[in-house]
Amino acid sequence: MTQEDASYDIEATQQKWRKVWDGLDTFVADESSGREKRYALTMFPYPSGDLHMGHAEVTALHDVIARYWWQRGYEVLNPMGWDSFGLPAENAAIKNDEHPATYTYANIETQFASFKNYGLSFDWTRRLHTSDPEYYRWTQWLFLKFRERGLAYRKNSPVNWCPNDQTVLANEQVVDGKCERCGAEVTKRELTQWYFKITEYAQELVDDLDVLAPTWPERVITAQRNWIGRSEGAHVDFAVEGRDQPMTVYTTRPDTLFGTTFMVVAPDAALAAELVTDEQRPAYDTYLQQVRKESEIERMSTDRPKTGVFLGVHAINPATGARIPVWAADYVLAEYGTGAIMAVPSGDHRDWEFAKKFDLPIVPTVQVPDDWEGEAYNGEGPAINSANDEISLNGMAVAEAKRAITAWLEEKGLGKGAVNFRLRDWLLSRQRYWGVPIPVIHCEKCGEVDVPEDQLPVELPELRGADLKPKGVSPLAAAEEWVNVDCPQCGGPAKRDSDTMDTFVDSSWYMFRYCSPTDATQAFDPVLVNSWMPCDIYVGGVEHAVLHLLYARFFTKVLADMGMLDFREPFASQLNQGIVINQGKKMSKSLGNGVSLGDQLADFGVDAVRLTLVFAGPPEDDIDWADMSPGGSVRFLQRAWRLSGDVTSAPGTQAADGDVALRRVTHRTVRDAEELVEGYRFNVMVARVMELVNATRKAIDSGCGPADPAVREAVEAVSILLSLVAPYTAEEMWERLGNQPSVARAGWPKVDEALLVQDSVVAVVQVQGKVKARLDVSPAISEGDLEAAAMADPAIVKALDGKQVRKVIVRAPKLVNIVAG
Ligand code: ANZ
Ligand code: ZN
């Protein structure tokens, strides 16, 4: 009966089931089904070319979860769409003299076809594209709602400017001083731009990280915490000679006030220009020009030689009464804290270097440990040199001294405890074409006027090719017919805002839109959103740890405050996949080590590629494709499929009287698979299925034989478990077993608890003939496994204690005899 060499035609099988599945609507989410709901979300792609190995990996992993939930009887929302605004399309349009939509929608169709071929369980009835007017109409509406709440505003400030892409960038989009997109060195420009007031939610955004910590990857939590950068300290006022206004600094170490021997102002802060004396102005102006060329990253790096200029004025240290000089130096940033610091060279490394370079005094205020040989010391220790007529901190520990000095400052009206955040408001306007137009009209009489809701969407004018060339202002500004409009308020001549939104705005709310993707009357249906969300799982790349995830959290909180959501965090749980590399390196054109997904699929078929990616290791780990064996996956899948041809019992046969040994393996495997999938250990789950396939093969060939009902039960279980990873093979097996499609909705095998009870036997382990350990092992344990278990036992390790093992005699499952010496 066994057909050892039989195999199925991969290509034909894929074509066959693609057609059948199209007619089945297997994965269309139905909110009225009454079943418990699950929302499985994976980050939607940007449509640049066809899908690549990275997409293949993340969607294969994600699909395991979604398909598992369907099998477990949940109603699953598993939507997919495209994040389809953005620069690559615009740059392609300039190059090819076409419209960005051409590139965008052609790529979307390509990727859509590839996703379908890849056999994913997406609900395609919910497909959306953020560049469709039906979608961005609501992005504009949300912008106006944020503006109504004072959360979207315009201000003039120095911003990051990419000279290559000719557009501003959010702080988050500047990586190591370079444009995240194109790698060009980022410079600063003074510009009026739109911002979202994300800082208003800074405290809640950190607080809720504690809620997410158990179910989010640790590195994402840490990255967000660092990005928000909450610190506690004080604002302290310093009187400045010859000036009525004091200068205020933010410090996390008010306890070091007595050691403040000079002040430093950011050269590019307004305060520096105000303070500088006429005499020092030329030196200051020269320095400022130099500093303007530096990136924020350069300025923050601690190991650069210190530079600065004396501003010619002195401040008074409120604790000591000493006259201390005020300097401008680039290591102080204009936009952090108050843009000015109290410098404590004994406690802060950068202040120390600055003091050494410019010969400024250093006064320690914390007793350093005896063995301390460093320079600035910022550790624990009793306060010293910190007393005046009114207060003494001497002897106090850092925390206590902080409290005491803050109380004293507050009492004297010279300061106040303060919390500070590194997080800045989100700069959202871009001077590029292919994005959501900002729905505001500028009128000389009325100022900034909202586009009335019934005039949304403000659609993009038709520009193409050379019209889109970056010119420093948005290409939209030059589209006269589009830009010049009547003011909605006074009817006078006015101009549309010509900036477009950062594409991260589009992706901050798409998870809501999926719940009612075609609703033409509202951004989303709150009732449906509240019934599906928060998302039960969000699968995606760790590169979005701060940007996208922080923005989406912010939007959720604002929408909750608007009364539209009854939850305040969008993603209950999160899984980050690793990346697919080749020969130890990131795939890249220049290295020529790219692996084409299309080629892999053509060579090995969809299921083998998916299985290889899932089986490669824990989802978080990187996968080196050079070490993978998709050919091995093909062989395994054929082996599994062959089982389905061997089963001779009829569909519906009860397994109750079947072979108990095989039934135990089946039921144990199913139970373990539940735990493994829920713990995101998909690779181990696959390994367990492989074991079940082996056990079943053995039962057919040399055990209970193909007619035993336990064999049908086992092969059906294999088919259902495999449906999470290798849907085509699973479907083919299911059909051969005489069942109706689709196996994807067959339902999870029911586990018989009685079959999970493991009998065990005691194996005795002897060293030099003496019993040293007893192990509980399965009666079916192999000689190899028993030997390994014995050698790993702590008592045996101790008994052998470095002795040379000469001989090991194994009589599974009862005895292991070790001869050593
Ligand atoms: C005195 C002091 C003494 C400080 C000491 C540190 C150690 P975080 O924790 O990141 O909030 N600082 C404040 N504003 C700054 C700015 N605009 N540019 C550069 N540095 C600035 O850091 C707060 C500390 O960073 C503040 O505490 C201040 O230096 C500095 F032994 O004040 B500290
Ligand atoms: Zn007007």
Side-chain angles (χ1 to χ4, degrees):
M1 230 12 234
T2 39
Q3 314 154 294
E4 268 313 326
D5 304 320
S7 65
Y8 63 95
D9 178 334
I10 295 170
E11 182 60 36
T13 306
Q14 289 177 188
Q15 277 181 19
K16 165 180 155 191
W17 288 113
R18 276 285 317 280
K19 261 200 219 98
V20 176
W21 290 341
D22 274 347
L24 286 181
D25 286 347
T26 312
F27 304 114
V28 175
D30 171 11
E31 38 273 307
S32 64
S33 71
R35 308 191 321 159
E36 198 180 317
K37 294 187 174 67
R38 286 284 165 101
Y39 189 165
L41 184 64
T42 183
M43 293 177 184
F44 63 166
Y46 178 80
S48 52
D50 201 351
L51 301 181
H52 53 64
M53 291 301 284
H55 296 116
E57 184 200 8
V58 63
T59 52
L61 294 168
H62 173 81
D63 215 36
V64 173
I65 304 175
R67 285 172 171 273
Y68 171 74
W69 283 340
W70 277 120
Q71 296 286 27
R72 293 307 301 266
Y74 295 102
E75 191 68 32
V76 183
L77 174 56
N78 182 23
M80 186 42 110
W82 279 269
D83 190 13
S84 49
F85 269 136
L87 269 183
E90 193 161 339
N91 292 337
I94 295 168
K95 202 167 138 224
N96 305 328
D97 191 25
E98 57 185 26
H99 193 282
T102 311
Y103 168 98
T104 304
Y105 288 93
N107 284 345
I108 287 178
E109 283 318 315
T110 304
Q111 294 194 348
F112 171 66
S114 296
F115 273 138
K116 290 209 84 173
N117 178 48
Y118 202 52
L120 299 164
S121 67
F122 290 126
D123 176 355
W124 288 114
T125 65
R126 293 173 188 258
R127 166 177 171 178
L128 60 79
H129 318 128
T130 59
S131 55
D132 290 351
E134 299 76 45
Y135 183 90
Y136 72 71
R137 165 186 185 168
W138 300 110
T139 310
Q140 292 174 334
W141 181 85
L142 286 165
F143 174 91
L144 294 177
K145 288 291 149 192
F146 277 45
R147 204 166 112 72
E148 196 177 299
R149 302 178 73 82
L151 295 172
Y153 67 96
R154 239 161 49 120
K155 76 170 173 194
N156 188 278
S157 71
V159 295
N160 302 309
W161 177 260
C162 173
N164 180 45
D165 290 332
Q166 297 269 303
T167 184
V168 304
L169 301 169
N171 282 342
E172 291 86 333
Q173 289 164 326
V174 181
V175 178
D176 292 338
K178 303 209 166 68
C179 171
E180 180 202 46
R181 286 230 97 103
C182 73
E185 197 82 35
V186 171
T187 57
K188 287 272 177 186
R189 267 205 180 182
E190 192 82 25
L191 284 173
T192 300
Q193 297 290 312
W194 288 97
Y195 291 83
F196 279 137
K197 211 172 189 176
I198 190 171
T199 52
E200 193 156 311
Y201 286 81
Q203 185 64 54
E204 194 191 337
L205 287 166
V206 232
D207 286 347
D208 285 353
L209 289 176
D210 292 336
V211 179
L212 299 173
T215 47
W216 276 37
E218 198 180 313
R219 53 184 172 171
V220 175
I221 297 283
T222 307
Q224 295 228 346
R225 217 182 275 291
N226 290 341
W227 189 261
I228 299 166
R230 182 186 188 279
S231 69
E232 283 178 17
H235 282 135
V236 184
D237 293 339
F238 286 70
V240 179
E241 282 181 358
R243 193 181 135 101
D244 298 337
Q245 282 285 95
M247 61 183 282
T248 304
V249 301
Y250 173 71
T251 176
T252 45
R253 293 294 303 275
D255 60 300
T256 62
L257 183 57
F258 286 85
T260 302
T261 53
F262 59 101
M263 309 292 288
V264 185
V265 184
D268 46 343
L271 180 65
E274 280 170 34
L275 289 178
V276 65
T277 57
D278 290 343
E279 199 185 328
Q280 287 298 95
R281 190 170 297 277
Y284 164 74
D285 285 341
T286 311
Y287 184 58
L288 179 61
Q289 279 185 12
Q290 171 196 327
V291 172
R292 285 227 187 272
K293 291 192 204 112
E294 300 167 354
S295 71
E296 201 151 302
I297 299 289
E298 279 176 272
R299 289 176 60 170
M300 288 194 303
S301 99
T302 46
D303 47 5
R304 299 167 66 225
K306 293 288 168 288
T307 58
V309 284
F310 176 47
L311 292 177
V313 290
H314 286 82
I316 306 297
N317 182 326
T320 62
R323 277 183 92 222
I324 55 177
V326 182
W327 288 69
D330 63 357
Y331 74 93
V332 173
L333 304 176
E335 285 176 74
Y336 186 72
T338 64
I341 67 159
M342 53 180 242
V344 184
S346 57
D348 185 281
H349 176 67
R350 293 171 306 174
D351 298 346
W352 170 282
E353 296 200 318
F354 196 84
K356 282 288 171 196
K357 169 125 188 218
F358 295 103
D359 205 15
L360 296 157
I362 301 174
V363 178
T365 60
V366 179
Q367 179 72 55
V368 300
D370 286 342
D371 55 355
W372 175 253
E373 282 174 8
E375 299 168 340
Y377 176 72
N378 67 359
E380 270 304 328
I384 54 170
N385 298 329
S386 297
N388 61 26
D389 294 346
E390 297 175 21
I391 181 169
S392 171
L393 308 177
N394 290 338
M396 290 182 187
V398 172
E400 190 189 357
K402 275 190 196 175
R403 276 194 297 275
I405 192 76
T406 306
W408 182 75
L409 287 165
E410 284 181 1
E411 197 183 292
K412 306 208 43 136
L414 292 173
K416 213 172 175 4
V419 168
N420 199 60
F421 294 94
R422 201 177 89 90
L423 183 67
R424 299 278 78 109
D425 278 342
W426 169 10
L427 195 173
L428 74 108
S429 38
R430 297 289 180 273
Q431 290 67 50
R432 297 299 299 247
Y433 169 78
W434 191 231
V436 182
I438 290 178
V440 169
I441 290 167
H442 300 280
C443 167
E444 271 186 27
K445 261 194 246 153
C446 316
E448 293 164 4
V449 182
D450 286 357
V451 172
E453 260 179 49
D454 60 8
Q455 288 172 30
L456 299 181
V458 175
E459 288 201 43
L460 285 166
E462 287 287 316
L463 299 184
R464 49 185 295 124
D467 300 341
L468 304 172
K469 281 228 171 84
K471 317 167 176 63
V473 291
S474 168
L476 291 178
E480 303 255 332
E481 268 182 40
W482 182 86
V483 158
N484 294 310
V485 286
D486 296 340
C487 168
Q489 215 155 289
C490 70
K495 279 187 187 300
R496 286 192 190 284
D497 196 294
S498 58
D499 286 350
T500 52
M501 297 185 208
D502 179 4
T503 55
F504 278 111
V505 182
D506 311 339
S507 54
S508 290
W509 71 280
Y510 77 119
M511 59 284 187
F512 306 128
R513 183 69 183 170
Y514 279 140
C515 298
S516 53
T518 55
D519 195 331
T521 65
Q522 53 190 342
F524 56 86
D525 182 334
V527 176
L528 289 176
V529 168
N530 288 324
S531 78
W532 284 112
M533 289 191 70
C535 296
D536 297 281
I537 183 76
Y538 195 22
V539 184
V542 75
E543 68 273 17
H544 291 298
V546 275
L547 299 132
H548 164 55
L549 289 170
L550 194 66
Y551 295 152
R553 295 180 61 215
F554 164 59
F555 261 61
T556 303
K557 293 178 189 303
V558 175
L559 290 165
D561 283 342
M562 285 166 60
M564 295 178 73
L565 305 175
D566 62 13
F567 53 91
R568 302 190 69 84
E569 282 292 340
F571 313 120
S573 175
Q574 213 200 120
L575 177 65
N576 295 144
Q577 81 282 4
I579 58 171
V580 187
I581 59 175
N582 192 24
Q583 293 157 338
K585 299 202 181 64
K586 240 182 131 146
M587 294 187 202
S588 80
K589 277 209 183 92
S590 56
L591 288 175
N593 68 339
V595 174
S596 146
L597 174 61
D599 290 351
Q600 298 298 312
L601 294 176
D603 289 352
F604 303 103
V606 168
D607 283 356
V609 170
R610 289 180 56 155
L611 184 93
T612 305
L613 289 165
V614 173
F615 186 49
E620 302 81 7
D621 288 6
D622 293 346
I623 298 174
D624 193 331
W625 195 252
D627 298 340
M628 295 299 124
S629 162
S633 297
V634 172
R635 286 191 294 279
F636 162 69
L637 290 170
Q638 294 285 8
R639 202 142 37 88
W641 170 84
R642 258 175 241 130
L643 296 178
S644 62
D646 290 349
V647 174
T648 54
S649 57
T653 304
Q654 290 304 305
D657 305 328
D659 180 72
V660 175
L662 181 60
R663 294 202 72 206
R664 279 185 199 280
V665 182
T666 304
H667 286 248
R668 171 49 58 195
T669 304
V670 172
R671 170 52 49 82
D672 288 353
E674 293 165 12
E675 284 163 16
L676 291 165
V677 173
E678 281 165 29
Y680 309 147
R681 297 171 64 207
F682 313 138
N683 57 320
V684 186
M685 186 270 290
V686 170
R688 301 303 313 278
V689 178
M690 290 174 171
E691 286 167 22
L692 177 57
V693 167
N694 291 344
T696 311
R697 168 54 54 207
K698 219 169 139 193
I700 292 172
D701 292 349
S702 56
C704 57
D708 192 285
V711 170
R712 166 168 286 277
E713 182 182 52
V715 182
E716 289 194 345
V718 168
S719 158
I720 292 168
L721 293 173
L722 270 186
S723 76
L724 313 188
V725 185
Y728 290 108
T729 310
E731 198 77 88
E732 190 71 19
M733 287 176 71
W734 194 245
E735 186 187 55
R736 278 183 114 204
L737 287 163
N739 298 311
Q740 289 300 310
S742 167
V743 66
R745 298 292 299 275
W748 195 249
K750 206 172 148 8
V751 173
D752 183 345
E753 302 287 334
L755 290 167
L756 297 180
V757 184
Q758 283 254 2
D759 332 297
S760 64
V761 293
V762 174
V764 168
V765 188
Q766 295 180 334
V767 177
Q768 319 294 59
K770 289 206 185 86
V771 176
K772 292 287 177 187
R774 286 173 213 277
L775 310 174
D776 282 331
V777 298
S778 153
I781 193 164
S782 69
E783 314 254 275
D785 286 354
L786 180 57
E787 179 177 341
M791 297 310 258
D793 188 86
I796 301 305
V797 172
K798 190 155 166 256
L800 290 173
D801 189 29
K803 288 193 196 95
Q804 173 101 23
V805 175
R806 304 208 174 275
K807 199 170 178 192
V808 183
I809 302 144
V810 186
R811 296 278 174 270
K814 289 265 163 82
L815 179 75
V816 181
N817 200 344
I818 304 168
V819 184

